[in-house]
Amino acid sequence: PAPTASFGGIPASNRLLSEHFKEFGPRDIDGTIRGGMTLRQALSQERRKASERGGRVPTKTITELRRRFAPASAPAAFLTVQDKKAVVDPLLRTAFDAINHTSTIKRTRVPLLTWMGQASGMTQREVVAVFRKTLEIKPALSSQNLQFNLAIMRGVARMNLAPQYPTETRAMIDHWDETLCLYFSQLARDGLSLGDWWNNYQSLCGLVMDHQKALKIMVARGKFLPVAGELYELTRSSRLGNRMFGAAIAKLASEQVAAFCDEFIQDETGGVGWTDQRIHNVVSMVLERSQETPGCDLLVKPRVVDMQFLGFTVQVLVKSVEHEAKLRAAAFVKTLAWGHQLQMLDFERVYTVKCEHIHPMSNDLVGRFRGAREQLCEKLRQDSWQNAEQLKTIINGHAKVLLELDEAMALEIAYISAMVTDKGAAVAEDHLLGLLPASVADTKELKDVRADLASWIGSPFFPCISAQAQGAARMLQDCIQRMSGGFSPFEDVQSLSPFLVKVSQRLPNFVRFEVRVKDKVKVFAGRAALHNMVAHVKAQHASGQEITLKDVEPFVVYKWLLTPADNAEADKIIAQALSHAGVGCTGRGLETSAHASLAAPSAKRA
């Protein structure tokens, strides 16, 4: 018998099978007879002929064998020319001559790629020819093959061939899916984000998945619960979909578990009172529902989730679905009991609003919560701290002991961590802004705000807020003290921090100006009040009345609020007042609510 050709110790026929018939199964290779031979036998025969000629098995022969032995469901079965007399573009014929050239030196893909990049449309015969050739070029074998396949796909997408030739397109989906999955993985390793991938390659993605459903997932921006159906479909229907959105399945499952917890907690709330048994009921129902939900089996590793605790969003590490359900139920119950069955801790007072109603709870349940929180207070009494950052370090040092007493103490520990964040500081800053008048209808005076602010800074919870929040409080205190002393609260209004910008929007509500016409009083505030004050004091001076420092003090304190024209007039008035007083402009500590009343006997004077 003729010797069997081999390559690296592997029979050549086996090498050809692995390279060109990768997707063929055992039945297709050894169990299907075509022309009296199996595929393996036919390939061995062609290999012997090629060996006798001193060459390789021609590509044309490989293509013919693939067509002849392909199963009915294989791509080749869908790629059949319907009209063999259809006209083929001469340039495309030339491109195929180049890509199929017997000489490896003269063989090139460039003409075909150029044609695909310029063609305005394709006949069914041309589509079949190009798709058959594309199936021969495996994207996983080399980067050149990958780029070739991508270029063909770009041409298909540009000419919108998929809806025109659905049968032929269906034959290519697995091949294109593999191509895009390889390319996505390659770019992801290089740091390309999912959003950038979608923005640049969504037209190609639409060849292997439903474009509208994928777009719906992308615009969901991480909120996957409303697009659960689309997410399940795309991750199951293609490798690319699973590669792009597979991680989102776990995120979706996490969102669903949170929704289950909220649903069953509300169901249990209608009962007589909260007990350990009711919390157990919530956990059991969540576990039962999650076992029926795709993706929940992925939630086996520790992960961080957002929870509502004492009216604040905290991030908590959960170890399992069961652990998450227990903590969410505990967070709900503790929030109801805060300020009633559970004592208020100093670090919670600035952020939490007490529930108005007292909800019945079992002594065992509340006792466990209360005991762990009392132990926390005892630990804190043994240490000292100046801000939330230091408090967080202290509590984390005792975390193991506290969690052994009550695993739900993870909520208080997470609460302290949340206070240290920018979001926690923003909540404290909102409390500080609440001390200032929100509108002209708010009659707060500077002396009231000064007292409230001093009380706030001197309270037991002040050392428990973050250093950033403490800095905001002291900045506001400095502004109020400067205004009380007759000085502008800001040295440079062009470089205010975001918090001071918000402060500057409320401070004008301190300055008001009333104009009484007959029996009606019109109240101006802020810049409008100052404009009327300037006009009023200017008229006083013109009538010969003496201008005092008390009259001009609002123009000093609110100089940053005056318009350029009013500022120029105010400077003249201040200079005149100083010349009469013969002292520096320090004022007499006028309470800068700056309320000026004008009795106008006629509408003209008003």
Side-chain angles (χ1 to χ4, degrees):
T4 303
S6 63
F7 180 80
I10 302 174
S13 58
N14 288 349
R15 179 172 59 83
L16 291 172
L17 282 171
S18 63
E19 287 183 3
H20 301 287
F21 301 87
K22 190 175 182 180
E23 73 277 18
F24 282 48
R27 180 175 295 180
D28 306 318
I29 296 173
D30 296 304
T32 302
I33 302 295
R34 295 283 189 273
M37 289 185 289
T38 64
L39 172 59
R40 189 186 300 277
Q41 290 169 341
L43 198 57
S44 296
Q45 183 184 73
E46 293 297 334
R47 184 67 192 85
R48 283 195 296 271
K49 291 179 181 178
S51 181
E52 291 170 359
R53 294 192 304 268
R56 295 169 172 259
V57 177
T59 301
K60 196 172 185 179
T61 302
I62 295 291
T63 302
E64 175 58 28
L65 289 175
R66 284 180 57 84
R67 185 196 62 77
R68 191 197 313 170
F69 286 93
S73 59
F78 296 97
L79 297 176
T80 304
V81 176
Q82 297 174 0
D83 183 4
K84 295 184 178 180
K85 295 181 179 180
V87 177
V88 176
D89 187 334
L91 292 177
L92 181 59
R93 288 185 181 277
T94 302
F96 267 92
D97 289 341
I99 200 171
N100 293 325
H101 203 286
T102 55
S103 170
T104 56
I105 297 175
K106 295 182 179 180
R107 189 181 306 151
T108 176
R109 301 170 179 176
V110 173
L112 179 57
L113 296 181
T114 301
W115 189 89
M116 284 296 294
Q118 297 175 351
S120 58
M122 297 175 67
T123 65
Q124 193 266 349
R125 185 180 179 186
E126 292 171 338
V127 166
V128 169
V130 171
F131 283 6
R132 282 179 176 175
K133 174 53 65 177
T134 303
L135 288 172
E136 296 174 14
I137 300 177
K138 307 301 181 184
L141 295 182
S142 68
S143 60
Q144 291 84 357
N145 284 9
L146 179 62
Q147 291 301 323
F148 173 87
N149 280 277
L150 290 170
I152 296 296
M153 292 179 70
R154 290 188 185 97
V156 171
R158 181 180 58 80
M159 290 183 274
N160 197 29
L161 298 179
Q164 299 178 52
Y165 304 106
T167 301
E168 291 75 13
T169 298
R170 188 161 62 251
M172 300 300 297
I173 286 180
D174 287 345
H175 186 82
W176 288 341
D177 191 18
E178 178 187 3
T179 299
L180 288 177
C181 198
L182 286 169
Y183 196 46
F184 177 77
S185 299
Q186 176 182 311
L187 295 182
R189 286 194 298 270
D190 293 339
L192 187 73
S193 68
L194 177 60
D196 288 339
W197 160 264
W198 177 253
N199 290 336
N200 288 287
Y201 302 104
Q202 56 179 299
S203 62
L204 303 188
C205 295
L207 296 176
V208 300
M209 64 174 65
D210 189 305
H211 180 272
Q212 290 302 315
K213 291 179 180 178
L215 179 62
K216 196 172 179 181
I217 295 173
M218 292 302 300
V219 300
R221 299 188 180 279
K223 301 296 182 182
F224 299 119
L225 205 53
V227 293
E230 290 82 357
L231 198 56
Y232 288 139
E233 179 179 335
L234 294 191
T235 52
R236 292 170 179 173
S237 62
S238 68
R239 284 175 288 180
L240 178 64
N242 187 59
R243 185 67 179 82
M244 288 175 61
F245 305 121
I249 290 292
K251 179 75 165 53
L252 170 61
S254 184
E255 290 181 13
Q256 290 177 312
V257 168
F260 298 156
C261 291
D262 292 342
E263 176 186 346
F264 295 132
I265 286 171
Q266 292 302 320
D267 290 346
E268 289 294 317
T269 302
V272 176
W274 277 96
T275 62
D276 280 315
Q277 182 58 46
R278 286 192 176 278
I279 290 183
H280 176 73
N281 292 343
V282 169
V283 174
S284 298
M285 289 186 287
V286 169
L287 287 175
E288 181 179 351
R289 180 74 67 83
S290 64
Q291 288 172 357
E292 304 168 354
T293 304
C296 286
D297 56 322
L298 302 174
L299 307 179
V300 293
K301 295 181 179 180
R303 56 199 166 84
V304 176
V305 299
D306 289 344
M307 293 187 187
Q308 290 296 315
F309 177 57
L310 302 182
F312 199 68
T313 301
V314 298
Q315 292 188 318
V316 186
L317 180 68
V318 296
K319 302 174 183 177
S320 63
V321 172
E322 180 181 5
H323 187 216
E324 178 178 353
K326 288 180 180 179
L327 289 183
R328 288 190 183 277
F332 181 81
V333 174
K334 283 186 176 184
T335 300
L336 293 181
W338 189 83
H340 300 298
Q341 296 96 327
L342 292 181
Q343 76 279 25
M344 302 180 183
L345 303 182
D346 286 338
F347 63 80
E348 297 170 340
R349 293 174 186 267
V350 70
Y351 296 101
T352 308
V353 178
K354 183 169 66 175
C355 182
E356 295 181 0
H357 305 290
I358 299 178
H359 294 259
M361 297 181 187
S362 70
N363 290 331
D364 290 343
L365 177 61
V366 175
R368 185 174 69 253
F369 292 158
R370 185 186 296 125
R373 286 166 65 89
E374 288 175 352
Q375 184 66 29
L376 171 60
C377 292
E378 180 62 30
K379 298 290 185 184
L380 294 180
R381 279 193 287 269
Q382 299 172 8
D383 295 287
S384 61
W385 65 91
Q386 295 180 334
N387 51 52
E389 287 82 355
Q390 296 176 4
L391 179 60
K392 175 184 176 182
T393 301
I394 293 171
I395 291 182
N396 285 340
H398 300 298
K400 184 177 179 180
V401 174
L402 296 172
L403 291 173
E404 288 175 353
L405 293 173
D406 174 22
E407 65 178 349
M409 280 302 293
L411 298 165
E412 282 81 359
I413 295 171
Y415 188 92
I416 287 292
S417 297
M419 289 168 55
V420 177
T421 65
D422 290 340
K423 187 174 180 180
V427 174
E429 289 173 359
D430 287 342
H431 278 261
L432 291 169
L433 291 172
L435 301 178
L436 301 174
S439 67
V440 66
D442 193 335
T443 58
K444 290 178 182 175
E445 298 284 347
L446 272 179
K447 61 182 179 181
D448 302 324
V449 174
R450 193 167 62 241
D452 291 344
L453 192 54
S455 175
W456 204 86
I457 292 176
S459 66
F461 64 71
F462 187 74
C464 303
I465 65 176
S466 68
Q468 179 181 338
Q470 290 179 3
R474 292 194 172 97
M475 282 192 297
L476 179 58
Q477 187 178 46
D478 179 67
C479 290
I480 298 301
Q481 288 175 345
R482 288 175 63 87
M483 293 174 69
S484 299
F487 295 96
S488 172
F490 311 120
E491 294 181 0
D492 181 7
V493 292
Q494 302 301 322
S495 58
L496 298 180
S497 67
F499 173 66
L500 286 183
V501 168
K502 295 177 182 178
V503 170
S504 70
Q505 294 167 352
R506 294 206 175 195
L507 291 184
N509 293 321
F510 280 122
V511 58
R512 293 179 288 275
F513 187 79
E514 289 184 2
V515 175
R516 182 171 292 128
V517 181
K518 295 183 179 180
D519 296 332
K520 295 183 178 180
V521 175
K522 186 172 184 180
V523 180
F524 295 92
R527 182 166 291 168
L530 289 170
H531 176 74
N532 281 275
M533 281 184 186
V534 170
H536 172 60
V537 176
K538 185 178 178 182
Q540 278 185 319
H541 179 67
S543 66
Q545 296 184 44
E546 180 182 352
I547 305 301
T548 66
L549 293 179
K550 180 178 179 180
D551 294 325
V552 302
E553 187 170 353
F555 307 146
V556 177
V557 175
Y558 295 96
K559 185 177 180 65
W560 53 277
L561 190 60
L562 290 167
T563 64
D566 287 340
N567 198 22
E569 291 292 339
D571 285 344
K572 296 177 184 177
I573 296 171
I574 291 170
Q576 292 161 359
L578 289 174
S579 66
H580 285 107
V583 296
C585 185
T586 58
R588 298 184 301 168
L590 172 70
E591 287 296 335
T592 50
S593 57
H595 185 102
S597 297
L598 175 62
S602 67
K604 181 178 180 181
R605 181 175 177 183

